Amino acid sequence: MFPPERFRVRRANTTKWTEAVLRRTSPVVAWLFLLMLVAISITAGFASANEEKAERWVGTWASSPQLAQPRDLPPAPGFADITLRQVVRVSIGGTKIRVRFSNASGKTALTIASSHVAKAARGAAIQAGTDKLLTFGEQSSVTIPAGALIYSDPLDFDLAPLSDLAVTIHLKGTPEAVTTHSGARATSYLAEGESVSATELPGAQTVEHWYFLNAVDVAARGPSAAVVVLGDSLTDGRSSATNGNGRWPDELARRLHADKHTAHIGVLNEGIGGNRLLHDGLGPNALARLDRDVLTQASVRWLVVLEGVNDIGTCKDGCDEDSTAHEIIGAYRQIILRAHSQNIRVYGATITPFGGSFYATPEAERARQVVNRWIRNSGRFDAVIDFDVVVRDPNDPSNLSPASDSGDHLHPNDAGYKAMGVSVDLRLFRSKSTFRF
């Protein structure tokens, strides 16, 4: 499917135009015209080479911000004079980083009194001698307006691929309405007072959420780029082991790093549990958050879409599953259109089985099949990643296989997520070129 047919046609039409010009001009003019084309080609080649050498920011980790529900808030005393240490597993590495914080859900400003980064050790501990201060406009504190986000200044920091980065901030209070990512599947640590540089945080309380931390970018050269996964709880890793980094995008990141052709590609997990394409849930609907979570991420070249199961599963009490299927397809079309406008390739992932779960009805299964047939056969996506085939029970394709089922018949277990990550064809990410749509 690469390059796209319309790209080939455009190139063919340009060649025909060039031949027509040469036929209609004198030999001298024709030679001058050819020399001009050669000069343009050489100049473009130099420009391309310079772009390859230029340093640019590439996403290595990200999460989708959500409004914290009461159950997502930290224990007392909350964020009043608190040190918060959060650990994230990055994908690609670099020697210079920047960190992004978000107050997307806040109704008032968020002030971070100080923030540090370090190489994570075990639990709340950091590796001695690796702690560094983050600054914002060369200031150690920063105030983020309601609904906004902010990047730190670039920081020289030796960040290894697939390593754990500890980001520690000191807060003296929080805005009205807290920004979180509730399904972190990772432990965060809260200690009273200011101890952002402490190697240990003895007695720290723990939660399994991220707060205000939104992304980490690295400065990279050459063909480095990022793939974003837009998804729901199956991308967010529901039922995977806490601190195990067992989500399927984690497995994809490990495989990309192990392949010399793709080791330069970062993976950004933009999954939100309960997310839907068409309606808000625990987070904004996928169409509403596309700009924020995908199109404005650093150096994105690919997008994988695994969304729709919650639209189908929550279609009850008078909802028409057939209409829902067509609405889902309409949402896919919009995502493809908007991503292509930013020169991003879009890969569609089929919706996995949920037979036996609280979503299961004959009508819901019919809708799933309608959507999956469109994903596989419409040709609208630039490629298809068929997760349905990977985790379904061959003896009962409407169900997850016993080896992949976490037990709720909807979410895979760690083995299922690994199988999904292993199934992705890495050749989808090997091309250095991008195409204009």
Side-chain angles (χ1 to χ4, degrees):
M1 194 171 290
F2 305 125
E5 187 63 31
R6 48 185 168 272
F7 179 83
R8 291 199 295 267
V9 170
R10 185 177 301 168
R11 184 171 58 186
N13 289 341
T14 301
T15 302
K16 291 178 181 178
W17 175 81
T18 302
E19 292 173 351
V21 170
L22 293 176
R23 285 197 302 269
R24 296 175 184 176
T25 58
S26 67
V28 173
V29 174
W31 276 109
L32 289 173
F33 181 74
L34 287 173
L35 287 173
M36 180 186 72
L37 291 180
V38 171
I40 291 172
S41 177
I42 292 172
T43 301
F46 282 132
S48 177
N50 288 335
E51 287 179 3
E52 287 292 293
K53 295 178 181 178
E55 188 177 75
R56 66 181 180 280
W57 292 105
V58 180
T60 184
W61 177 87
S63 70
S64 298
Q66 305 165 245
L67 172 63
Q69 303 301 310
R71 65 178 179 275
D72 301 326
L73 296 173
F79 293 112
D81 192 20
I82 282 291
T83 293
L84 169 62
R85 179 164 290 168
Q86 305 177 90
V87 180
V88 299
R89 173 68 56 86
V90 302
S91 49
I92 58 174
T95 56
K96 186 184 296 183
I97 69 171
R98 65 182 185 183
V99 179
R100 187 171 73 225
F101 296 95
S102 174
N103 190 23
S105 300
K107 296 181 180 179
T108 56
L110 163 69
T111 296
I112 299 176
S114 61
S115 54
H116 285 231
V117 292
K119 295 180 181 180
R122 186 178 182 87
I126 59 174
Q127 297 181 34
T130 67
D131 176 75
K132 288 191 175 185
L133 170 71
L134 288 174
T135 60
F136 305 84
E138 301 182 352
Q139 302 297 311
S140 59
S141 66
V142 64
T143 296
I144 308 174
L149 55 80
I150 196 165
Y151 286 92
S152 72
D153 297 332
L155 175 68
D156 291 331
F157 190 91
D158 187 14
L159 183 65
L162 303 179
S163 64
D164 290 336
L165 178 71
V167 181
T168 309
I169 60 177
H170 178 220
L171 299 167
K172 293 185 177 179
T174 53
E176 181 184 352
V178 170
T179 302
T180 187
H181 184 82
S182 59
R185 325 291 171 206
T187 304
S188 298
Y189 305 88
L190 300 107
E192 293 188 41
E194 193 281 320
S195 50
V196 289
S197 296
T199 303
E200 304 274 354
L201 293 178
Q205 298 191 75
T206 61
V207 293
E208 293 184 9
H209 313 297
W210 289 310
Y211 300 104
F212 313 116
L213 181 58
N214 188 223
V216 180
D217 297 340
V218 296
R221 300 180 186 273
S224 296
V227 52
V228 176
V229 183
L230 184 67
D232 47 42
S233 57
L234 276 76
T235 294
D236 207 20
R238 175 70 181 270
S239 299
S240 64
T242 299
N243 300 319
N245 297 296
R247 315 165 192 85
W248 75 261
D250 295 322
E251 181 62 25
L252 175 60
R254 288 188 284 266
R255 293 182 60 231
L256 289 169
H257 175 68
D259 188 317
K260 66 179 181 179
H261 300 290
T262 57
H264 54 278
I265 297 172
V267 178
L268 307 181
N269 186 332
E270 298 288 0
I272 295 179
N275 197 230
R276 291 182 286 181
L277 285 159
L278 306 170
H279 304 283
D280 292 349
L282 295 179
N285 66 79
L287 286 178
R289 67 188 182 95
L290 184 67
D291 288 330
R292 182 196 73 183
D293 291 349
V294 178
L295 303 184
T296 60
Q297 300 297 321
S299 299
V300 175
R301 189 174 293 171
W302 303 275
L303 167 62
V304 179
V305 180
L306 178 55
E307 289 264 13
V309 65
N310 293 315
D311 297 86
I312 294 172
T314 58
C315 179
K316 300 181 185 297
D317 299 327
C319 176
D320 181 350
E321 285 84 358
D322 292 331
S323 295
T324 296
H326 291 296
E327 289 174 354
I328 289 171
I329 291 168
Y332 290 155
R333 289 177 184 270
Q334 287 297 310
I335 290 171
I336 295 166
L337 177 66
R338 290 164 62 186
H340 279 179
S341 73
Q342 300 297 313
N343 202 30
I344 296 171
R345 297 177 183 174
V346 190
Y347 302 152
T350 51
I351 299 174
T352 54
F354 48 80
S357 76
F358 54 87
Y359 278 174
T361 66
E363 295 79 13
E365 176 63 14
R366 184 172 69 247
R368 185 179 78 91
Q369 294 296 342
V370 169
V371 171
N372 280 351
R373 278 197 299 272
W374 188 89
I375 292 172
R376 292 182 179 113
N377 302 321
S378 70
R380 295 287 182 168
F381 285 108
D382 297 302
V384 174
I385 298 173
D386 205 339
F387 286 148
D388 173 32
V389 170
V390 174
V391 297
R392 71 189 182 194
D393 186 343
N395 298 315
D396 187 356
S398 65
N399 289 355
L400 290 170
S401 71
S404 297
D405 194 343
S406 67
D408 67 3
H409 312 305
L410 174 61
H411 299 96
N413 54 21
D414 283 326
Y417 285 129
K418 182 172 183 178
M420 290 168 67
V422 168
S423 73
V424 179
D425 188 347
L426 298 189
R427 290 176 297 179
L428 295 173
F429 309 101
R430 286 184 180 177
S431 174
K432 295 183 179 179
S433 60
T434 56
F435 303 111
R436 301 294 175 187
F437 292 94

